Amino acid sequence: MATPVFNKLVIFGVGLIGGSFARALKHMGAVGTVVGMGRSPASMARALELGIIDEIGGDMAQAIHGADLVLVAAPVAQTGAILASIAPHLQPGTVVTDAGSTKSDVVEAARASLGDKIAQFVPGHPIAGRETNGPDAAIIDLYRGKKVVLTPLAENAASDVERVAAAWRTCGAIIHVLTPAEHDKVFAAVSHLPHLLAFALVDDIARKPHADLLFQYAASGFRDFTRIAGSSPEMWRDISLANQPALLQELDAYLAQLTALRASLAAGDGAAIENVYANAQQARQQWIEAIEAAEIPAPAASAQ
């Protein structure tokens, strides 16, 4: 048996994201002991039962003591409080990272919570997910061939950034680097806005007096468009508020697009409508081809 890369890993949040991270590292023999921390005793007990974690953490000092790596995989609004609870017990040599879908607010919270220990925090965001959550949703290969964006701080040691990157690469992920501001602007457009739209559409239909009839005839197109509305409302509330400026900018641009499309529809301007549809079809096809070329599943790393 190979010597684990990480003797002790502590995970705050043992659901889809944190649980899949632990599962992948355990599968590769890259971690010794995984300690789980969380608000829900039932979730913690389930994670222990499933073998995602080896211990349920209680006392913070004891949980953090001797940890090589700490992953905060909780809703972004909780990040500041979690980091503040970690800070007094954070020893030299322990690296902390997160899996939050926003980064500027997380960095601000980390600076406020960790103070002069900020160099030990390497912000990150795995670009992978499913509409299910909780420990039962965790899978070994969630990150295989998927991007993980790191947004390193000026204070971070290169070796600490590499430690975080190595953990994600062991899970099969492909590492990308952005600044926190770049990250938030990009994901407001391609992740946060789509979630807002999917939630809004399903909510709108659900509130109609004949909702039962509408849902009866909703088929695969509706299912595919609204799949992400099955995601955690709490998590996406936090993400929406955390990235409010960038999300508002993208939402305003989308509303302008809808207004223009509505005007074309009202005027019976088929050419204008078709032009929008054709441009979207071409752009989507190019995007799909680029993903298929760039995100070929990474081979499993050797556990030797």
Side-chain angles (χ1 to χ4, degrees):
M1 182 70 179
T3 301
V5 178
F6 303 101
N7 291 317
K8 183 177 182 180
L9 168 68
V10 180
I11 296 183
F12 288 80
V14 294
L16 172 66
I17 299 301
S20 294
F21 183 74
R23 275 195 180 280
L25 291 178
K26 277 175 163 280
H27 178 70
M28 296 307 299
V31 64
T33 301
V34 179
V35 178
M37 302 286 283
R39 298 180 301 173
S40 168
S43 291
M44 302 307 298
R46 182 59 176 157
L48 186 64
E49 179 184 357
L50 292 170
I52 295 172
I53 61 176
D54 302 302
E55 300 174 12
I56 298 174
D59 177 72
M60 185 65 70
Q62 185 177 355
I64 299 298
H65 181 75
D68 301 295
L69 185 65
V70 176
L71 172 68
V72 179
V76 289
Q78 299 174 26
T79 302
I82 291 173
L83 293 179
S85 68
I86 292 172
H89 314 292
L90 188 57
Q91 302 168 307
T94 299
V95 177
V96 182
T97 188
D98 79 307
S101 297
T102 55
K103 293 273 74 81
S104 296
D105 65 307
V106 164
V107 170
E108 182 179 355
R111 290 191 183 282
S113 301
L114 297 177
D116 59 5
K117 297 181 180 179
I118 187 63
Q120 293 175 248
F121 179 69
V122 180
H125 176 202
I127 315 305
R130 305 158 80 195
E131 63 273 23
T132 54
N133 46 64
D136 285 282
I139 55 176
I140 290 171
D141 60 352
L142 179 66
Y143 304 114
R144 183 66 46 81
K146 298 300 191 333
K147 297 181 181 70
V148 169
V149 177
L150 299 183
T151 63
L153 307 178
E155 295 91 340
N156 292 147
S159 58
D160 288 346
V161 176
E162 176 54 29
R163 186 187 303 185
V164 175
W168 286 114
R169 281 196 294 265
T170 302
C171 296
I174 302 162
I175 304 300
H176 288 244
V177 176
L178 294 172
T179 68
E182 287 170 341
H183 171 280
D184 290 351
K185 192 167 185 178
V186 166
F187 287 94
V190 299
S191 176
H192 307 167
L193 179 65
H195 277 82
L196 184 151
L197 300 178
F199 281 122
L201 177 61
V202 177
D203 180 67
D204 178 61
I205 291 178
R207 292 176 185 274
K208 295 181 185 296
H210 55 310
D212 289 347
L213 180 64
L214 296 176
F215 282 125
Q216 180 182 343
Y217 290 99
S220 59
F222 181 84
R223 182 187 64 234
D224 293 345
F225 185 81
T226 63
R227 176 186 63 81
I228 51 180
S231 303
S232 165
E234 178 189 17
M235 180 179 78
W236 282 98
R237 173 203 66 198
D238 290 351
I239 291 169
S240 298
L241 293 174
N243 203 21
Q244 184 193 64
L247 182 53
L248 282 174
Q249 186 174 355
E250 293 300 330
L251 182 56
D252 288 344
Y254 189 77
L255 288 171
Q257 168 82 330
L258 287 181
T259 299
L261 195 55
R262 186 191 188 285
S264 297
L265 181 61
D269 189 345
I273 294 171
E274 184 178 358
N275 182 60
V276 171
Y277 291 0
N279 183 59
Q281 181 196 46
Q282 181 182 21
R284 188 180 190 281
Q285 185 59 40
Q286 290 173 345
W287 167 67
I288 292 293
E289 291 171 356
I291 280 186
E292 290 176 347
E295 295 194 355
I296 298 170
S302 172
Q304 296 181 354

